[in-house]
Structures are given as C-alpha cells and as structure tokens.
Amino acid sequence: MEKEELKTLAQNLANPQGEKGIEVGEMMNATNISMTMESVRTLLIEDGEHILEIGHGNAGHLKHILDLAQNLAYTGIDISETMNQEAKRLNKDFLDQADFILYEGKKLPFQDETFDKIFTVNTVYFWEKPVDFLNEIYRVLKDGGTFVLTFGQRDFMEKLPFTAYDFTLYNNNEMEELISKSHFKRMKITEKEEEIKSKTGNETIHRIYTILTIKK
C-alpha cells in the first residue's frame, strides 16, 4: 500500500468514517474477533451483569456476548458516528439488551460504579491521556469489578506499516507502568499468539497480544 493509503487506513482504524469506515469496521471485526472473544471470556461474565465495551466497532460480536449468561445488559461506546450507526443496524434485534453511545473519547458519560465488567480491545493506542482515561474507567466500574484491556504488543505492532501514523505502542512493562500510575493497582498479564490475515493484504501474520485482567 502507498503512504497515503496507509494513512487513510490508520485514520479509519482510529475513527472509522463513511463507506470506507464501514469496510474497515467489517475488517476489524473479522481480524480482531479472536482477541475480542478471548477478552470476553477473561471477564467471566455472570447472569444479570452490566457490561461496557469501549470502542465497540460494528459490534458484530454482540450476540456471542449476550449468549454467555442470562439477563445481561450491554453498553457499547465509540467515538465513531459511523460505527455507532452500523452497530445499531447490525444489532437491531438486540436493542432491548444493548445500548450504543457516541462520545468524544475523553470522559465516560456514566455515573460512578455503573458497570460490573468493562473491556476494550485495540483502542489504547489512541488514548490521548491514558492515565486520565484509565481513571475514568476506574470511576465507572463497580467495586470488585473487572476491567480487561487487550492490546497488540509493541514488537508485533511496530512491524505493521500503518502503525507509523498516530499509534502509541506499548510493551507489557510500559503498559504495567502506565496502569500503576492510575487508581488501578491489581492486574494479571496473559500473553496470546495467533495467526491472522493482514489488514493490508491477504498474507498471514503472527500476532502476539496481551490481555490484562485488572481488578478494582
């Protein structure tokens, strides 16, 4: 891909817009589905819980989540109006249990201690003030709740051509240090590996990623 194409892809990975954004949303859901479902399994969701996903994309995975337990409530939040509308369209049959909210990416528009479980996959690269945002997540998570943060490790992500454009990358030590500066203090680190299709072509790449299980 040419430089301008890579820039456009990077912009749409951060904030999908328009027809191109819908295409990127479909591609992200397909390439990230195993990361997403590993993250959801790590949450250990139980009946009656309220789940928040930060950066839901097109939320093509929502049915999988709702099938994990009884009487779940799901809230998805995203900075992309395109993904907000696409998630509502794709999940119109689940809107009695699910809510999709558009926000500006800095403050979470919820009261303190609203959610039992919170997760986010491949969004931390775009957080402008990560410690402040972690503290926002801490604020809206119930006492005893679990936050799962999943990200591609720096060594892997640096090999992807589009991450040169406005991605902030982390290794495990850097992420651990970042979280230690927030109100969160207890975490467990799990590393995973998988073969996935590249976002820039049809080749297969070996992805190494981390799931952080963080307790309040």
mmCIF file of all heavy atoms in Angstrom, residues 9-36:
data_model
loop_
_atom_site.group_PDB
_atom_site.id
_atom_site.type_symbol
_atom_site.label_atom_id
_atom_site.label_comp_id
_atom_site.label_asym_id
_atom_site.label_seq_id
_atom_site.Cartn_x
_atom_site.Cartn_y
_atom_site.Cartn_z
ATOM 1 N N LEU A 9 -5.943 4.247 6.099
ATOM 2 C CA LEU A 9 -6.266 3.059 6.880
ATOM 3 C C LEU A 9 -6.072 3.331 8.367
ATOM 4 O O LEU A 9 -6.939 2.991 9.183
ATOM 5 C CB LEU A 9 -5.388 1.882 6.444
ATOM 6 C CG LEU A 9 -5.528 0.590 7.268
ATOM 7 C CD1 LEU A 9 -6.970 0.067 7.237
ATOM 8 C CD2 LEU A 9 -4.563 -0.472 6.764
ATOM 9 N N ALA A 10 -4.959 3.958 8.729
ATOM 10 C CA ALA A 10 -4.687 4.270 10.135
ATOM 11 C C ALA A 10 -5.771 5.167 10.713
ATOM 12 O O ALA A 10 -6.245 4.959 11.842
ATOM 13 C CB ALA A 10 -3.311 4.930 10.274
ATOM 14 N N GLN A 11 -6.186 6.184 9.937
ATOM 15 C CA GLN A 11 -7.241 7.092 10.400
ATOM 16 C C GLN A 11 -8.545 6.345 10.626
ATOM 17 O O GLN A 11 -9.266 6.594 11.607
ATOM 18 C CB GLN A 11 -7.450 8.213 9.380
ATOM 19 C CG GLN A 11 -6.304 9.213 9.327
ATOM 20 C CD GLN A 11 -6.351 10.103 8.099
ATOM 21 O OE1 GLN A 11 -7.193 9.940 7.203
ATOM 22 N NE2 GLN A 11 -5.423 11.049 8.030
ATOM 23 N N ASN A 12 -8.860 5.404 9.739
ATOM 24 C CA ASN A 12 -10.112 4.655 9.863
ATOM 25 C C ASN A 12 -10.035 3.570 10.930
ATOM 26 O O ASN A 12 -11.071 3.155 11.463
ATOM 27 C CB ASN A 12 -10.519 4.069 8.513
ATOM 28 C CG ASN A 12 -11.295 5.055 7.671
ATOM 29 O OD1 ASN A 12 -12.452 5.352 7.948
ATOM 30 N ND2 ASN A 12 -10.646 5.586 6.651
ATOM 31 N N LEU A 13 -8.848 3.103 11.251
ATOM 32 C CA LEU A 13 -8.714 2.188 12.382
ATOM 33 C C LEU A 13 -8.948 2.934 13.687
ATOM 34 O O LEU A 13 -9.532 2.394 14.634
ATOM 35 C CB LEU A 13 -7.317 1.546 12.381
ATOM 36 C CG LEU A 13 -7.072 0.526 11.266
ATOM 37 C CD1 LEU A 13 -5.605 0.151 11.199
ATOM 38 C CD2 LEU A 13 -7.936 -0.724 11.461
ATOM 39 N N ALA A 14 -8.510 4.189 13.753
ATOM 40 C CA ALA A 14 -8.709 5.002 14.952
ATOM 41 C C ALA A 14 -10.151 5.498 15.060
ATOM 42 O O ALA A 14 -10.742 5.493 16.146
ATOM 43 C CB ALA A 14 -7.752 6.195 14.940
ATOM 44 N N ASN A 15 -10.730 5.906 13.919
ATOM 45 C CA ASN A 15 -12.064 6.517 13.936
ATOM 46 C C ASN A 15 -12.717 6.297 12.572
ATOM 47 O O ASN A 15 -12.651 7.156 11.697
ATOM 48 C CB ASN A 15 -11.936 8.016 14.246
ATOM 49 C CG ASN A 15 -13.284 8.687 14.433
ATOM 50 O OD1 ASN A 15 -14.328 8.086 14.246
ATOM 51 N ND2 ASN A 15 -13.245 9.955 14.785
ATOM 52 N N PRO A 16 -13.340 5.134 12.363
ATOM 53 C CA PRO A 16 -13.915 4.805 11.050
ATOM 54 C C PRO A 16 -14.980 5.811 10.609
ATOM 55 O O PRO A 16 -15.852 6.187 11.397
ATOM 56 C CB PRO A 16 -14.540 3.414 11.283
ATOM 57 C CG PRO A 16 -13.794 2.852 12.459
ATOM 58 C CD PRO A 16 -13.499 4.028 13.326
ATOM 59 N N GLN A 17 -14.893 6.228 9.350
ATOM 60 C CA GLN A 17 -15.815 7.231 8.821
ATOM 61 C C GLN A 17 -16.338 6.821 7.452
ATOM 62 O O GLN A 17 -15.559 6.382 6.590
ATOM 63 C CB GLN A 17 -15.105 8.593 8.704
ATOM 64 C CG GLN A 17 -14.640 9.178 10.017
ATOM 65 C CD GLN A 17 -15.778 9.594 10.924
ATOM 66 O OE1 GLN A 17 -16.800 10.096 10.468
ATOM 67 N NE2 GLN A 17 -15.618 9.357 12.220
ATOM 68 N N GLY A 18 -17.652 6.967 7.252
ATOM 69 C CA GLY A 18 -18.250 6.794 5.935
ATOM 70 C C GLY A 18 -18.161 5.371 5.402
ATOM 71 O O GLY A 18 -18.011 4.409 6.150
ATOM 72 N N GLU A 19 -18.266 5.263 4.071
ATOM 73 C CA GLU A 19 -18.260 3.947 3.432
ATOM 74 C C GLU A 19 -16.954 3.201 3.691
ATOM 75 O O GLU A 19 -16.954 1.997 3.960
ATOM 76 C CB GLU A 19 -18.483 4.092 1.917
ATOM 77 C CG GLU A 19 -19.906 4.493 1.532
ATOM 78 C CD GLU A 19 -20.932 3.459 1.979
ATOM 79 O OE1 GLU A 19 -20.666 2.248 1.844
ATOM 80 O OE2 GLU A 19 -21.997 3.860 2.475
ATOM 81 N N LYS A 20 -15.837 3.928 3.600
ATOM 82 C CA LYS A 20 -14.539 3.303 3.888
ATOM 83 C C LYS A 20 -14.496 2.828 5.340
ATOM 84 O O LYS A 20 -13.985 1.742 5.645
ATOM 85 C CB LYS A 20 -13.406 4.294 3.626
ATOM 86 C CG LYS A 20 -12.006 3.727 3.881
ATOM 87 C CD LYS A 20 -11.666 2.599 2.917
ATOM 88 C CE LYS A 20 -10.243 2.123 3.112
ATOM 89 N NZ LYS A 20 -9.934 0.976 2.231
ATOM 90 N N GLY A 21 -15.072 3.625 6.237
ATOM 91 C CA GLY A 21 -15.115 3.263 7.647
ATOM 92 C C GLY A 21 -15.922 1.993 7.892
ATOM 93 O O GLY A 21 -15.556 1.168 8.734
ATOM 94 N N ILE A 22 -17.018 1.820 7.157
ATOM 95 C CA ILE A 22 -17.831 0.599 7.278
ATOM 96 C C ILE A 22 -17.020 -0.617 6.846
ATOM 97 O O ILE A 22 -17.029 -1.663 7.500
ATOM 98 C CB ILE A 22 -19.135 0.729 6.464
ATOM 99 C CG1 ILE A 22 -20.054 1.770 7.119
ATOM 100 C CG2 ILE A 22 -19.844 -0.621 6.354
ATOM 101 C CD1 ILE A 22 -21.288 2.104 6.308
ATOM 102 N N GLU A 23 -16.284 -0.464 5.732
ATOM 103 C CA GLU A 23 -15.414 -1.555 5.259
ATOM 104 C C GLU A 23 -14.354 -1.900 6.306
ATOM 105 O O GLU A 23 -14.102 -3.077 6.605
ATOM 106 C CB GLU A 23 -14.703 -1.140 3.963
ATOM 107 C CG GLU A 23 -15.590 -1.072 2.735
ATOM 108 C CD GLU A 23 -14.791 -0.598 1.524
ATOM 109 O OE1 GLU A 23 -13.546 -0.768 1.526
ATOM 110 O OE2 GLU A 23 -15.400 -0.046 0.603
ATOM 111 N N VAL A 24 -13.721 -0.868 6.865
ATOM 112 C CA VAL A 24 -12.678 -1.090 7.877
ATOM 113 C C VAL A 24 -13.294 -1.715 9.126
ATOM 114 O O VAL A 24 -12.689 -2.592 9.751
ATOM 115 C CB VAL A 24 -11.957 0.235 8.205
ATOM 116 C CG1 VAL A 24 -11.047 0.072 9.426
ATOM 117 C CG2 VAL A 24 -11.127 0.697 7.008
ATOM 118 N N GLY A 25 -14.519 -1.295 9.485
ATOM 119 C CA GLY A 25 -15.195 -1.891 10.634
ATOM 120 C C GLY A 25 -15.430 -3.374 10.455
ATOM 121 O O GLY A 25 -15.241 -4.168 11.398
ATOM 122 N N GLU A 26 -15.826 -3.775 9.260
ATOM 123 C CA GLU A 26 -16.028 -5.205 8.965
ATOM 124 C C GLU A 26 -14.713 -5.964 9.050
ATOM 125 O O GLU A 26 -14.644 -7.062 9.609
ATOM 126 C CB GLU A 26 -16.638 -5.368 7.569
ATOM 127 C CG GLU A 26 -18.071 -4.875 7.468
ATOM 128 C CD GLU A 26 -18.591 -4.878 6.040
ATOM 129 O OE1 GLU A 26 -17.793 -5.139 5.111
ATOM 130 O OE2 GLU A 26 -19.793 -4.617 5.848
ATOM 131 N N MET A 27 -13.661 -5.358 8.495
ATOM 132 C CA MET A 27 -12.346 -5.989 8.527
ATOM 133 C C MET A 27 -11.819 -6.096 9.958
ATOM 134 O O MET A 27 -11.273 -7.127 10.363
ATOM 135 C CB MET A 27 -11.385 -5.185 7.640
ATOM 136 C CG MET A 27 -9.964 -5.706 7.614
ATOM 137 S SD MET A 27 -8.949 -4.806 8.798
ATOM 138 C CE MET A 27 -8.895 -3.197 8.031
ATOM 139 N N MET A 28 -12.007 -5.028 10.750
ATOM 140 C CA MET A 28 -11.553 -5.062 12.143
ATOM 141 C C MET A 28 -12.279 -6.144 12.934
ATOM 142 O O MET A 28 -11.666 -6.854 13.731
ATOM 143 C CB MET A 28 -11.766 -3.696 12.813
ATOM 144 C CG MET A 28 -10.722 -2.666 12.476
ATOM 145 S SD MET A 28 -10.753 -1.254 13.615
ATOM 146 C CE MET A 28 -12.335 -0.513 13.220
ATOM 147 N N ASN A 29 -13.589 -6.258 12.715
ATOM 148 C CA ASN A 29 -14.337 -7.281 13.450
ATOM 149 C C ASN A 29 -13.824 -8.670 13.110
ATOM 150 O O ASN A 29 -13.673 -9.528 13.986
ATOM 151 C CB ASN A 29 -15.837 -7.163 13.150
ATOM 152 C CG ASN A 29 -16.661 -8.065 14.049
ATOM 153 O OD1 ASN A 29 -17.067 -9.151 13.658
ATOM 154 N ND2 ASN A 29 -16.899 -7.615 15.269
ATOM 155 N N ALA A 30 -13.518 -8.890 11.824
ATOM 156 C CA ALA A 30 -13.034 -10.205 11.395
ATOM 157 C C ALA A 30 -11.636 -10.505 11.928
ATOM 158 O O ALA A 30 -11.371 -11.595 12.432
ATOM 159 C CB ALA A 30 -13.042 -10.283 9.866
ATOM 160 N N THR A 31 -10.733 -9.523 11.856
ATOM 161 C CA THR A 31 -9.349 -9.779 12.266
ATOM 162 C C THR A 31 -9.189 -9.756 13.787
ATOM 163 O O THR A 31 -8.245 -10.352 14.309
ATOM 164 C CB THR A 31 -8.376 -8.767 11.631
ATOM 165 O OG1 THR A 31 -8.751 -7.438 12.005
ATOM 166 C CG2 THR A 31 -8.361 -8.891 10.123
ATOM 167 N N ASN A 32 -10.090 -9.081 14.480
ATOM 168 C CA ASN A 32 -9.961 -8.962 15.938
ATOM 169 C C ASN A 32 -10.882 -9.899 16.709
ATOM 170 O O ASN A 32 -10.869 -9.886 17.946
ATOM 171 C CB ASN A 32 -10.265 -7.525 16.383
ATOM 172 C CG ASN A 32 -9.213 -6.543 15.920
ATOM 173 O OD1 ASN A 32 -8.075 -6.919 15.653
ATOM 174 N ND2 ASN A 32 -9.586 -5.281 15.826
ATOM 175 N N ILE A 33 -11.680 -10.727 16.018
ATOM 176 C CA ILE A 33 -12.718 -11.489 16.719
ATOM 177 C C ILE A 33 -12.126 -12.419 17.778
ATOM 178 O O ILE A 33 -12.690 -12.562 18.867
ATOM 179 C CB ILE A 33 -13.623 -12.259 15.724
ATOM 180 C CG1 ILE A 33 -14.851 -12.828 16.440
ATOM 181 C CG2 ILE A 33 -12.849 -13.333 14.973
ATOM 182 C CD1 ILE A 33 -15.803 -11.798 16.976
ATOM 183 N N SER A 34 -10.992 -13.032 17.498
ATOM 184 C CA SER A 34 -10.422 -13.936 18.499
ATOM 185 C C SER A 34 -9.912 -13.153 19.711
ATOM 186 O O SER A 34 -10.084 -13.589 20.859
ATOM 187 C CB SER A 34 -9.305 -14.783 17.900
ATOM 188 O OG SER A 34 -8.285 -13.967 17.380
ATOM 189 N N MET A 35 -9.313 -11.980 19.477
ATOM 190 C CA MET A 35 -8.898 -11.123 20.590
ATOM 191 C C MET A 35 -10.100 -10.693 21.415
ATOM 192 O O MET A 35 -10.065 -10.681 22.649
ATOM 193 C CB MET A 35 -8.178 -9.871 20.068
ATOM 194 C CG MET A 35 -6.792 -10.096 19.541
ATOM 195 S SD MET A 35 -6.020 -8.552 18.926
ATOM 196 C CE MET A 35 -5.410 -7.825 20.451
ATOM 197 N N THR A 36 -11.166 -10.335 20.715
ATOM 198 C CA THR A 36 -12.376 -9.882 21.407
ATOM 199 C C THR A 36 -12.965 -10.997 22.254
ATOM 200 O O THR A 36 -13.290 -10.786 23.436
ATOM 201 C CB THR A 36 -13.406 -9.383 20.379
ATOM 202 O OG1 THR A 36 -12.853 -8.288 19.651
ATOM 203 C CG2 THR A 36 -14.687 -8.933 21.069
#
